[in-house]
Amino acid sequence: MGVGRLFEGFITILIGVNLVPSVADQVVAAQAGNVTGASASMLGLVTLFFVIGIMVAGVNIAVGGLQDVGLI
């Protein structure tokens, strides 16, 4: 069970990393419109927030797997 959760965490990270270019392309396309000021700044940070979210989710799942095995 614990090894499965470890693999689940790594698969989550792997899929998220493969989706980052698509998210970044969509952010650039959205910035090409009439977005100014604080909205443009927040829109520029969407890719960063996406990467941080994927990283946190993957690490949480992997740490849960390590706890199930008894290593943490």
Side-chain angles (χ1 to χ4, degrees), residues 2 5-14 16-17 50-68 72:
R5 287 187 69 183
L6 285 174
F7 284 134
E8 183 181 350
F10 294 127
I11 289 171
T12 301
I13 292 172
L14 182 68
V17 167
F50 178 77
V51 170
I52 290 172
I54 292 297
M55 183 179 63
V56 167
V59 169
N60 273 341
I61 294 170
V63 167
L66 290 173
Q67 286 176 342
D68 288 348
I72 293 181

Side-chain angles (χ1 to χ4, degrees), residues 23 27 31 38-52:
V23 171
V27 167
Q31 284 178 332
S39 299
S41 298
M42 289 300 294
L43 188 58
L45 293 173
V46 166
T47 305
L48 176 67
F49 292 146
F50 178 77
V51 170
I52 290 172

